[in-house]
Amino acid sequence: MTRRVGLSARRIFGVLSAVALLASVSGCGLLGGSEEKPADTAAGSGGVEKAKIKLGLLPILDVASVHIAIKKDYFKQEGLEIEVVPIQGGAAAIPGLISGDLDISFGNWVSFILAESKEGAKGVGGLKLVNDGYQTKPDMFLILAKGDSPVKAPKDLEGKTIAINTFKNIAELTAKATLEANDVDVEKVKFKELPFGDMEAAVQNGSVDAAFMVEPFISRAQRTSGQVSVLDAASGPTDGIPIGGYATTGKFAQENPKTIAAFQRAMAKGQRDAADRPTVEPLLVEYAKVDKETASLVHFGEYPTSLDATRLQRVAELMRTYGLLEKEFDVKPMLVGGSGG
């Protein structure tokens, strides 16, 4: 499929290219990259404040590093026990963080940044970003349609309904950016909220015309239902965009600094190991409940080993472009440690 880039997309490219260039020359990581502290650091300084962490997760490829860290006892070595709490998306996790039902949660950066810009978590010290999680590569953010659907190209999505997992998140943002880049009037596209696990069936039964899917749901829908790609939402203006990571509240971070540091050390190892496909595939069968063949077909993104404000600022700039932010927003204060480079 040939992608056409309109004038609005070229303007976006200018902004994002400048941000990307800045990231390449000035970015630094808060998690220390490959420089890992010894596993007994937390114990040697008095142990963690809270040993059992309630961690919000979706059953998607993005969080493979957590399951690796659990499997390889990286959390255990840091004095932590992880209780996985299922969530539908980052936006849905934020109330759980605020109420204390979740200590830390995976989520997309758009939801976290949007909530912070609206001071939605002000009563608990705001939202704080703890770990980077996942970054796009081609073919891992796809809008799929039924194999025999008349929807064959992005322009065909005008007047149609697309499923996304939650509103005002990274899916909606990247969908709108890439649709517009392909000369689609996004005002004529309707979005419907559905869990990732329900999207394949919704496309097949016609309750939606297409669905914005991530792995392993993409590979499963293509293999079992013959669904086809209409648009790669990680292309053009969204190529290489940071997707999501792990957040907590300012209150939890302030009261549990050793716990957060221990979590970061364990996650740094998990993120590193997630680059090894043979390590990840069998875990997908376990936690995402996909078969081995589907696991072998999924398209992998990047698992960054550092949390970088300049890279995440790119998301805020795109949100500003598409009206999700009313004014400029600096992500640096959200990062645990307060600086991104």
Side-chain angles (χ1 to χ4, degrees):
M1 177 181 66
T2 301
R3 302 183 180 93
R4 295 171 293 159
V5 179
L7 289 175
S8 57
R10 283 195 287 271
R11 288 196 297 269
I12 299 168
F13 269 114
V15 173
L16 299 186
S17 295
V19 175
L21 177 61
L22 182 59
S24 68
V25 297
S26 66
C28 66
L30 290 180
L31 303 185
S34 61
E35 295 180 6
E36 297 165 4
K37 297 180 181 180
D40 63 354
T41 301
S45 57
V48 298
E49 298 88 357
K50 184 173 184 180
K52 188 170 185 177
I53 299 297
K54 293 174 290 185
L55 177 62
L57 295 180
L58 296 90
I60 57 178
L61 181 59
D62 310 36
V63 300
S65 55
V66 172
H67 295 277
I68 291 171
I70 293 173
K71 194 83 169 180
K72 294 191 174 184
D73 288 336
Y74 294 152
F75 290 115
K76 186 177 180 180
Q77 291 164 13
E78 295 290 347
L80 298 177
E81 178 187 351
I82 300 297
E83 177 188 345
V84 173
V85 180
I87 59 171
Q88 183 171 327
I94 292 169
L97 289 171
I98 294 172
S99 67
D101 291 335
L102 297 172
D103 299 314
I104 301 172
S105 183
F106 179 83
N108 72 90
W109 296 131
V110 172
S111 294
F112 291 146
I113 292 171
L114 183 61
E116 186 64 9
S117 73
K118 295 179 179 297
E119 298 186 337
K122 186 176 181 180
V124 287
L127 294 178
K128 297 298 179 182
L129 309 181
V130 177
N131 276 82
D132 206 336
Y134 208 48
Q135 184 171 315
T136 62
K137 288 177 69 175
D139 298 319
M140 51 156 290
F141 256 22
L142 297 183
I143 296 178
L144 300 181
K146 196 174 178 180
D148 59 359
S149 168
V151 177
K152 303 295 184 186
K155 194 71 175 176
D156 298 332
L157 289 166
E158 284 190 0
K160 301 297 192 296
T161 300
I162 302 174
I164 54 174
N165 66 317
T166 57
F167 295 126
K168 294 183 178 180
N169 71 349
I170 191 72
E172 183 176 345
L173 183 68
T174 56
K176 286 182 175 179
T178 49
L179 285 167
E180 188 173 280
N182 283 270
D183 299 327
V184 176
D185 184 350
V186 296
E187 296 299 320
K188 296 180 180 178
V189 177
K190 181 181 178 181
F191 293 97
K192 181 177 181 178
E193 196 172 67
L194 283 176
F196 285 123
D198 295 344
M199 290 183 183
E200 180 182 348
V203 170
Q204 288 303 108
N205 66 32
S207 60
V208 296
D209 301 293
F212 185 114
M213 297 192 202
V214 298
E215 294 288 15
F217 302 101
I218 291 170
S219 293
R220 185 167 65 189
Q222 290 176 327
R223 191 173 72 83
T224 62
S225 299
Q227 294 181 9
V228 296
S229 174
V230 179
L231 177 65
D232 186 341
S235 63
T238 61
D239 181 37
I241 195 82
I243 300 172
Y246 302 83
T248 187
T249 63
K251 180 176 185 291
F252 187 87
Q254 184 176 16
E255 293 176 353
N256 302 277
K258 294 177 184 177
T259 300
I260 292 295
F263 181 86
Q264 290 176 324
R265 288 192 296 272
M267 282 299 298
K269 296 176 184 177
Q271 291 284 105
R272 176 200 64 199
D273 291 359
D276 180 48
R277 188 180 185 105
T279 299
V280 176
E281 284 187 20
L283 291 177
L284 283 176
V285 176
E286 292 181 22
Y287 78 82
K289 308 304 180 187
V290 298
D291 57 273
K292 290 182 180 179
E293 185 173 350
T294 297
S296 71
L297 295 172
V298 299
H299 297 91
F300 276 49
E302 299 283 349
Y303 294 90
T305 56
S306 63
L307 184 61
D308 180 72
T310 307
R311 186 167 63 241
L312 298 189
Q313 191 65 38
R314 185 182 174 197
V315 179
E317 296 293 340
L318 197 60
M319 292 173 68
R320 182 82 171 96
T321 299
Y322 282 91
L324 288 183
L325 291 175
E326 296 178 358
K327 56 185 179 180
E328 293 184 2
F329 182 87
D330 184 5
V331 301
K332 280 186 180 181
M334 291 186 72
L335 275 61
V336 172
S339 173

